[in-house]
Amino acid sequence: MIKTFLIERISWILFFLLSQVFILFVSFIDSSIPLTSLLYIVFLSLLLFIIFLVVRYPKETRFYKSLIDREDDLDLTGVVDSNSPFEEIVENSLTNQTILLKKVAVQNQTHLEEEKDDLLSWIHEVKTPLTAMNLMIDRMKDERLKSNLTFEWLRIHLLLDQQLHQKRIPFIENDLYIEKIQLEDVLFPEIKTLQSWCIHKGIGFDIELEELEVYSDAKWLSYIIRQLLTNAVKYCTSSDIQITSKQRNGQVILEIEDFGRGIHSKDLPRIFEKGFTSTTQHQDNASTGMGLYLAKKAALSLHITFQVKSELDKGSIFTLIFPKRNEFVKITSM
């Protein structure tokens, strides 16, 4: 800040120094003016000017220091009061801009809330005809047509479900209810939902659960598992998906292994990024790049650790590591 202060006042400093040099120059060319006396006066003037700069420095930089130190938000309480006309101009400008930005922010937030509520309402409205459509599909006699329609119905259902959770996830902390959950009660309904898709692709499930209980939120854990199973089914053909659970170091480990196309090593660090699909299968229009991103965000709120191992053309293993039981209090205090 000292350097900035001196640069800001450089024209004044140069003017003062040049004026002193000019006085000495006049004394030099005019023999009637004693040079020694003027040197003494110039020395005192320079000393007084330095003292003046030292005294003025904290007074003139206090306001601007507070601007630098304030956080990048719309709160101006940390900015000290102005003590000069120019500082008042800056303060008034900041205040007016802050008021305007707060107003715009409130309007945008209100607009986003309205859009979110409208979208959630629309999703719930669409679920009614989807349910009716599913019932009609169940009554169909043509098994081949029934299977195809069920598969397409399921795709719409999963996309709507993803959109619903995408809108809810920013407020997930308000929606958590941590309890002891039976893994079978979460896994089997999700597998049953994907049954028609699995039959269509010739996929089965090999389930071995050594550990049956975890502490988590049933609804959001179901969503995470739904995304992992959906991914596994999407990229597999005519092979079993293995689901196992075990305990390691006091933590329950749930693994979902598929033998599909796998993930390229260069894509692995990015699979949880929002909107990322693939660099090796970039033409895959079926992927939205949102499933794993939302699953990872939900897992973070539940203190579930994600691990992924994959090899191209051999398959992938997604591992969920649940928190220890003594971390239950930590989760419920969110």
Side-chain angles (χ1 to χ4, degrees):
M1 182 58 78
I2 295 176
K3 182 180 178 181
T4 305
F5 174 74
L6 293 176
I7 293 173
E8 175 66 22
R9 300 290 184 268
I10 190 66
S11 59
W12 297 86
I13 295 171
L14 288 175
F15 175 77
F16 173 79
L17 294 176
L18 289 173
S19 65
Q20 301 305 305
V21 171
F22 179 74
I23 291 172
L24 292 175
F25 176 73
V26 171
S27 174
F28 178 76
I29 63 175
D30 189 349
S31 58
S32 62
I33 302 174
L35 180 61
T36 306
S37 299
L38 280 181
L39 281 172
Y40 182 65
I41 293 172
V42 168
F43 171 74
L44 291 178
S45 299
L46 183 60
L47 184 61
L48 289 173
F49 183 67
I50 293 173
I51 294 172
F52 171 78
L53 288 177
V54 172
V55 172
R56 291 297 300 175
Y57 170 75
K59 185 176 180 64
E60 295 191 18
T61 57
R62 188 168 59 96
F63 176 77
Y64 298 102
K65 278 183 177 179
S66 67
L67 290 180
I68 294 174
D69 295 338
R70 67 181 283 268
E71 296 182 4
D72 294 330
D73 53 24
L74 299 180
D75 185 12
L76 295 179
T77 55
V79 179
V80 300
D81 295 332
S82 57
N83 56 13
S84 72
F86 283 132
E87 289 180 2
E88 286 181 7
I89 293 173
V90 174
E91 184 178 22
N92 290 334
S93 177
L94 281 174
T95 302
N96 293 334
Q97 288 183 2
T98 300
I99 292 172
L100 178 62
L101 288 173
K102 283 182 177 179
K103 184 178 179 181
V104 172
V106 170
Q107 291 175 346
N108 289 340
Q109 184 64 32
T110 303
H111 183 63
L112 287 173
E113 288 293 331
E114 290 175 353
E115 281 193 345
K116 186 196 76 172
D117 293 340
D118 291 343
L119 181 58
L120 290 177
S121 176
W122 178 81
I123 291 172
H124 285 293
E125 290 293 330
V126 171
K127 281 188 173 183
T128 302
L130 269 181
T131 303
M133 189 185 301
N134 192 33
L135 293 174
M136 287 187 286
I137 292 172
D138 285 340
R139 292 198 293 266
M140 293 182 65
K141 302 298 183 182
D142 189 333
E143 291 298 327
R144 183 177 178 183
L145 180 60
K146 179 180 178 180
S147 175
N148 291 334
L149 287 175
T150 302
F151 170 65
E152 297 300 332
W153 174 90
L154 180 61
R155 289 178 61 188
I156 298 173
H157 170 73
L158 292 174
L159 286 171
L160 284 174
D161 179 73
Q162 180 175 287
Q163 189 65 239
L164 179 64
H165 284 83
Q166 184 177 346
K167 294 300 177 183
R168 285 178 173 171
I169 209 160
F171 314 100
I172 184 174
E173 284 78 9
N174 301 327
D175 192 37
L176 294 181
Y177 179 69
I178 307 300
E179 59 183 337
K180 185 185 291 186
I181 300 171
Q182 296 291 326
L183 281 175
E184 292 178 346
D185 295 339
V186 176
L187 281 168
F188 291 165
E190 298 303 328
I191 293 173
K192 186 177 180 181
T193 302
L194 299 173
Q195 182 178 2
S196 60
W197 194 5
C198 293
I199 293 173
H200 183 78
K201 299 190 71 174
I203 294 173
F205 288 90
D206 183 8
I207 302 174
E208 296 181 10
L209 302 179
E210 296 179 11
E211 291 294 324
L212 299 177
E213 295 178 346
V214 294
Y215 283 98
S216 192
D217 179 273
K219 181 169 62 177
W220 284 100
L221 179 58
S222 295
Y223 175 73
I224 294 170
I225 291 175
R226 188 180 313 140
Q227 295 304 313
L228 298 182
L229 291 178
T230 301
N231 264 25
V233 174
K234 184 186 297 183
Y235 300 118
C236 275
T237 303
S238 302
S239 63
D240 284 351
I241 296 172
Q242 295 183 355
I243 303 175
T244 59
S245 69
K246 55 189 175 184
Q247 189 172 118
R248 184 195 304 156
N249 299 325
Q251 293 178 285
V252 177
I253 311 295
L254 179 66
E255 291 185 347
I256 299 176
E257 182 177 4
D258 67 75
F259 301 94
R261 75 184 191 190
I263 305 168
H264 198 284
S265 57
K266 68 179 181 180
D267 288 344
L268 269 178
R270 301 183 60 191
I271 60 174
F272 295 112
E273 293 180 7
K274 186 176 182 179
F276 179 76
T277 53
S278 173
T279 56
T280 56
Q281 301 285 337
H282 205 59
Q283 73 281 0
D284 184 7
N285 296 321
S287 180
T288 63
M290 294 300 296
L292 290 178
Y293 164 75
L294 295 173
K296 181 66 176 292
K297 289 198 71 174
L300 286 174
S301 297
L302 293 172
H303 292 256
I304 296 174
T305 303
F306 249 114
Q307 291 182 355
V308 186
K309 295 179 181 178
S310 186
E311 192 172 344
L312 197 62
D313 298 325
K314 291 189 177 181
S316 306
I317 303 175
F318 285 83
T319 304
L320 299 180
I321 304 176
F322 292 86
K324 295 181 180 179
R325 293 191 177 186
N326 57 8
E327 294 182 22
F328 175 65
V329 176
K330 179 181 177 181
I331 302 175
T332 54
S333 63
M334 291 174 56

